């Protein structure tokens, strides 16, 4: 892990809200400390799990500042600054860099469906505008387009500060092509907890995790066992936690992650519309799964 600037276990942390669904910055700091103490090597702040679509730029900055204040210097803080407008992303990244974050995550532009050359130029413009490291994020299920392996590799080769990709395409041939063709200092993270071990078997570095909000030590153990080559133990631990990895996605993320934190006694508030709280039936099923895997 000493050769990995962000480590192997990175949680995309939820964004805590108060009863009025305004930012709860004190709770965000408490959560960041809890996650670091639970074994996280780095944190993603205000990714999709952090409800980035409904947390607007001034609030994002407040959140980044709060998390940096709480745990900056202890683990790398990766700020999600990606947008589907290149100019906005470049400007926002410039603004955020002033607040002490260690890196940026930038998602494939969504909704406007650019071609591969557009994706390349989008990320190239961001990389040219900053000295901070950049983690690419490919998630076709949310963005409606897939960033192909050759585009990812082209960016990795052309820009020293494009250092990693969070791959949530589910296309293992594509993921293998990226791992096999990448420069030595470029790494691939699983974007799905349930795909972590298959991706690490291909040479992936670890995971940018959702379940890490709820069971960071358990997920950390899995990736460290895999990194050490103890695949039998890693598979056993992974199988034991798999019902919760999949159960958290019964409905749109992060509805059930926030519900799970409430169930373990660390409430972080509700979700902003158009997301809605877990139903009683969903909460009951989640609690049963959490008891089954030993988290509750």
């Amino acid at each position: 892990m000493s050769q990995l600037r962000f480590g192997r276990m990175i949680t995309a942390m939820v964004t805590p809200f108060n009863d009025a669904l305004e930012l709860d910055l004190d709770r965000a700091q408490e959560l960041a400390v809890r996650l670091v103490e639970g074994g996280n090597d780095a944190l993603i702040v205000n990714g999709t799990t952090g409800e980035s679509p409904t947390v607007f730029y001034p609030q994002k900055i407040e959140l980044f500042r709060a998390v940096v204040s709480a745990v900056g210097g202890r683990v790398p803080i990766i700020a999600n600054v990606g947008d589907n407008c290149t100019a906005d992303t470049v400007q926002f990244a410039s603004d955020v860099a002033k607040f002490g974050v260690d890196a940026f995550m930038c998602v494939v532009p969504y909704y406007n469906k650019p071609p591969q050359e557009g994706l390349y130029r989008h990320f190239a413009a961001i990389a040219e505008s900053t000295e901070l490291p950049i983690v690419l994020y490919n998630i076709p299920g949310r963005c409606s387009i897939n960033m192909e392996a050759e585009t990812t590799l082209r960016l990795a080769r052309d820009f020293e500060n494009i250092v990693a990709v969070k791959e949530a395409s589910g296309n293992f041939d594509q993921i293998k092509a990226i791992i096999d063709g990448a420069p030595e200092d470029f790494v691939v993270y699983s974007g799905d907890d349930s795909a972590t071990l298959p991706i690490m078997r291909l040479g992936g570095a670890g995971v940018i995790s959702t379940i890490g909000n709820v069971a960071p030590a358990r997920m950390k153990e899995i990736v460290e066992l895999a990194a050490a080559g103890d695949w039998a133990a890693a598979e056993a631990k992974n199988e034991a936690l798999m019902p919760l990895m999949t159960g958290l996605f019964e409905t749109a993320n992060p509805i059930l992650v926030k519900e799970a934190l409430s169930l373990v006694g660390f409430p972080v508030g509700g979700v902003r519309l158009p997301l809605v709280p877990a139903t009683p039936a969903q909460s009951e099923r989640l609690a049963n799964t959490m008891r089954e895997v030993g988290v509750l």
Side-chain angles (χ1 to χ4, degrees):
M1 192 177 78
S2 60
Q3 297 178 353
L4 296 174
R5 71 178 73 209
F6 305 132
R8 299 191 183 281
M9 169 60 184
I10 307 168
T11 288
M13 62 179 279
V14 301
T15 297
F17 298 134
N18 61 23
D19 290 344
L21 294 180
E22 298 297 332
L23 288 182
D24 188 337
L25 296 176
D26 290 341
R27 197 56 160 169
Q29 291 183 316
E30 292 168 358
L31 175 61
V33 170
R34 176 186 174 94
L35 294 178
V36 171
E37 292 177 349
N40 276 284
D41 299 318
L43 297 176
I44 300 279
V45 183
N46 203 224
T48 310
T49 305
E51 295 178 72
S52 57
T54 54
V55 177
F56 296 104
Y57 282 179
Q59 294 177 329
K60 292 179 196 287
I61 287 175
E62 289 184 62
L63 189 60
F64 298 149
R65 293 178 70 174
V67 175
V68 168
S69 176
V71 296
R74 295 178 64 181
V75 299
I77 307 302
I78 305 168
N80 173 40
V81 298
D83 203 335
N84 63 343
C85 172
T86 305
D88 283 353
T89 303
V90 167
Q91 182 59 58
F92 188 50
S94 176
D95 294 340
V96 171
K98 303 168 187 174
F99 298 108
V101 302
D102 299 287
F104 296 131
M105 185 172 76
C106 297
V107 70
V108 165
Y110 42 88
Y111 193 75
N112 40 16
K113 300 177 72 171
Q116 295 298 307
E117 181 62 24
L119 296 182
Y120 176 84
R121 295 188 191 185
H122 172 80
F123 289 118
I126 301 166
E128 288 168 346
S129 75
T130 183
E131 295 182 355
L132 286 181
I134 294 169
V135 179
L136 308 173
Y137 183 16
N138 186 39
I139 180 164
R142 286 188 180 271
C143 295
S144 80
I145 57 168
N146 173 55
M147 183 159 64
E148 296 171 4
E150 187 48 47
T151 304
T152 301
L153 290 172
R154 186 181 170 198
L155 289 162
R157 294 169 187 144
D158 289 355
F159 299 96
E160 290 185 356
N161 61 333
I162 294 182
V163 299
V165 62
K166 176 183 178 182
E167 251 290 343
S169 66
N171 183 334
F172 289 98
D173 289 339
Q174 172 172 292
I175 294 166
K176 185 178 189 302
I178 296 169
I179 291 168
D180 291 348
E184 186 177 353
D185 56 353
F186 183 89
V187 298
V188 176
Y189 289 101
S190 173
D192 297 301
D193 290 304
S194 60
T196 301
L197 285 193
I199 289 175
M200 290 188 73
R201 281 189 180 276
L202 296 175
V207 62
I208 295 178
S209 175
T210 299
I211 200 174
N213 283 281
V214 183
R218 295 275 296 273
M219 198 65 199
K220 168 85 165 189
E221 185 180 20
I222 291 168
V223 297
E224 292 298 337
L225 286 167
D230 191 347
W231 292 104
E235 291 284 3
K237 300 285 186 182
N238 191 67
E239 184 177 353
L241 198 57
M242 184 63 72
L244 185 56
M245 291 184 197
T246 56
L248 287 171
F249 288 86
E250 177 189 331
T251 188
N253 185 44
I255 292 170
L256 293 183
V257 183
K258 283 192 159 182
E259 182 68 12
L261 282 166
S262 180
L263 289 168
V264 298
F266 192 89
V268 289
V271 291
R272 287 178 171 174
L273 285 169
L275 299 182
V276 293
T279 67
Q282 288 170 339
S283 181
E284 182 178 0
R285 284 192 295 272
L286 176 62
N288 288 337
T289 300
M290 292 170 70
R291 282 189 285 268
E292 175 189 344
V293 303
V295 171
L296 188 61

